[in-house]
Amino acid sequence: MRRILAILLENEAGSLSRIVGLFSQRAFNIESLTVAPTEDPSLSRITIATKGNDKILEQIVKQVNKLIDVIKITDLTERSHVERELLLIKVLAMSDKSRTEVKRITDIFRGAIIDIGKQTYTIELTGDAEKLNAFISTLANETEIIESVRSGCVGIARGEKALRVK
Amino acid sequence: MTKELFSGAELVVKTLSALKVKYLFGYPGGTVLDIYDAIFRQNDVEHILVRHEQAATHMADGFARATGEVGVVLATSGPGATNCITGIATAYMDSIPMVVLSGQVPTGLIGDDAFQETDIVGCSRPIVKHSFNCRKVADIPNTIAKAFYIASTGRPGPVVIELPKDILMPQFTAEFTLNSEINIRSYNPTVKGHHRQIKKAVQAITQAKRLVIYSGGGVIIANAAALLTQLVEKLNAPVTNTLMGLGGVSGLHDNFIGMLGMHGSLEANKAMAHADVILALGARFDDRVTNNVKKFCPNANIVHVDIDPTSISKTINAHIPVVGLVDIVLEQLLTELDEKQFSINEQENQAWWQQIAQWRAVKSVSYEQTDGKIKPQRVIEAMYEATQGDAYVCSDVGQHQMFAAQYYPFAKPRQWINSGGLGTMGFGLPAAMGVKLAFPDSHVICITGDGSIQMNIQELSTCLQYNLPVVIISLNNRSLGMVRQWQDMVYGGRHSSSYMESLPDFVKLAESYGHVGIQINALDELEEKIQQAFAIKNRLVFVDVLVDENEHVYPMQIRTGAIDEMWIKKGVKA
Ligand SMILES: Cc1ncc(C[n+]2csc(CCOP(=O)(O)OP(=O)(O)O)c2C)c(N)n1
Ligand SMILES: [Mg+2]
């Protein structure tokens, strides 16, 4: 089962490498990982999308928690949450027809064309993983994909629930 | 008034002294010469110069295991630091409090592949509890204090601190200030067991018909042996110890049913397999204990007490997990039992003990003196007799280690010192040296083999320099016995690289290092010469005992079987 883990940790040299090292050392899966400082610059927040059964997930959560500079970890997928990922994608858009078609698909998915080259469009889209996948395969049917980059997902719990220090 | 200023190197030594560190085990080199200079100019902290940095880590480790204090190591950058890796991993696997101070190239050169630059924090990351890259002179005291705190609290473990050369040099100075309290917002290990879990645990224990207490290294680390014994007696429960937990309850206690696991006693493994409740205390269901996890004790309700939540339900699912320090949880359990005015069900308890008596009667831990050859087991018995059971026994890794664990009953915790988790050959001698330093008036034995002893033999030189008269007893079977045993059992007797054709003359070797060497090659002189070795005071004695090279360690679990499926002796199943 796919899980999204949110981790709050000290924003210090080496803390990210400890997390990444832990996952590879214990053969835990990382589907995606994002990291950035929070509004409090002494803290970083990592979101990891991973796969595993309940037993593996329990170990992942405990092992991450055991790292000295981790303050908190939570499994967002346990409760209702919001999940977003950013996609930047460059596609071939040469003919009028393909330009119109790419524009139309982008509108339907509520994306935005953010750059135009002589023969290309660069599009930005946010959404959950499923939406991004659907967008990419729809585009692929219409034109050639030249390059794409995904941020990996970030997530936050719905309602009052929050991941913060105390 | 202006405050006094110190160099980084001086701050290192001042901090160690403030933390009451008596010994620092290390080896000098370019990046730490300022620290060595600072050591030279004071008398609080004594530096022990080893002959190889690996030995420094094992010495610090042995010191820590025997005393419960943090062992401290100092090494230079690059090769000095990488030589520490095996010792750090050894301490990590057995949860030993250790702080390793490693030099590093000057800050400005980090990342340039400078001379003797190694990313030691990166290299050691998977085998430390935590590590620090110290980058400012003023940070040195509190970084070291934090490292000590982390190393010694919760589940103990090694902590590495990397100190670049420039912040140690006299050009940069800072005041010496140590925070009176250490506060790490992201590190607050649980101490007390949750009261609801304690209630559940007591309920399970008191309703058990066939209870077994399975105790591990956590009981030793937490100094909980007396409390464990109290609980064992209150419940009249059978108790088994892991290899790391020997001495947690006296090996001579009536309720002790032996070590469990791969080379454990039949009664211990049988009792585990037939238990309806297993109370695991500071043990981690290691694969050398459980054998095939799929067949592990299917009928047992498992209560698992451990300070480390990751140990709980990692390999074996716990029905009642209790996270907390073993000593505190034991107190909680005892109090709860008193409050419940618990008394044991005599009938059920008797029936359980009768069953265990039948397994005990097999005498699975025994050997036959068939010919005139010296059996390794007999050497351990002679060693026990000569020391009247009152010695620190520090072991290397192999058959000799298992024989020592089986045939030397440990009456007290911290008496048995071995690398159980990593199984590091070469651990025994330096560990024994660390123990001897801490307890110069006690018998300290290094039990070893012809293979293991050669992995840190150079430390015989350190023993002379610092007058560390340990007694080395080498069960010399002219082979890597444990490897050979597996080759006999699993690889059709093909002894691929498991025997040694070019052993040194260990007696002469010991003598050339300035020690006493004794060789024993006849059974009828065994006892006398062992006695003689222990009678020599103030000299290191190396006893080279030529033992039967064909002896195997039994009993032994049958691979892929259940915990209690065992070979009792060659070709005989339980
Ligand atoms: C550093 C290291 N390398 C290899 C091994 C694998 N190993 C385990 S026991 C053993 C043989 C040990 O030989 P010896 O010290 O003579 O002890 P014996 O088994 O003969 O009593 C070996 C090679 C190990 N445990 N540690
Ligand atoms: Mg040998």
Side-chain angles (χ1 to χ4, degrees), chain A residues 10 17-18 21 25-26 40 42-43 55 58-59 62-63 66 68-71 165, chain B residues 92 125-126 129-131 150 155 184-187 308-310 312-316:
Chain A
E10 297 291 350
S17 67
R18 285 191 189 99
Q25 175 193 346
R26 299 202 179 257
D40 171 353
S42 73
L43 295 171
K55 194 174 160 71
E58 182 183 330
Q59 264 301 306
K62 285 172 166 180
Q63 292 286 359
K66 187 173 157 180
I68 303 297
D69 38 25
V70 167
I71 293 171
V165 182
Chain B
Y92 180 72
R125 196 186 52 222
K129 183 168 174 187
H130 196 58
S131 42
I150 291 170
R155 179 178 181 173
I184 304 172
R185 67 175 165 179
S186 58
Y187 176 66
D308 181 358
T310 70
I312 295 178
S313 298
K314 180 172 61 183
T315 58
I316 299 292

Side-chain angles (χ1 to χ4, degrees), chain B residues 396-401 422-425 448-453 455 475 477 479-483 500:
Chain B
D396 259 311
V397 173
Q399 291 183 319
H400 59 273
Q401 174 191 25
L422 197 67
T424 309
M425 288 171 70
T448 185
D450 46 299
S452 296
I453 192 63
M455 286 218 180
L475 304 186
N477 50 12
S479 67
L480 303 176
M482 189 56 97
V483 171
M500 302 229 195

Side-chain angles (χ1 to χ4, degrees), chain A residues 135-148:
Chain A
F135 181 61
I136 293 167
S137 63
T138 311
L139 277 179
N141 286 337
E142 210 50 56
T143 180
E144 188 183 326
I145 295 171
I146 297 166
E147 181 188 356
S148 75

Side-chain angles (χ1 to χ4, degrees), chain B residues 193 195 197-199 201-203 205-206 211 213 219 223-237 279 281 305 322 325-344:
Chain B
H195 64 91
Q197 296 304 93
I198 297 286
K199 281 207 156 60
V202 165
Q203 199 169 27
I205 294 166
T206 51
L211 172 67
I213 297 179
V219 169
N223 298 317
L227 288 165
L228 168 61
T229 308
Q230 223 176 305
L231 183 74
V232 165
E233 286 170 0
K234 193 184 223 39
L235 301 168
N236 192 28
L279 172 59
L281 298 168
V305 179
V322 185
L325 286 171
V326 174
D327 52 340
I328 297 196
V329 172
L330 272 168
E331 265 170 19
Q332 289 177 287
L333 292 175
L334 286 163
T335 312
E336 179 72 15
L337 280 169
D338 281 345
E339 276 169 18
K340 284 193 95 172
Q341 300 188 328
F342 162 79
S343 65
I344 46 176

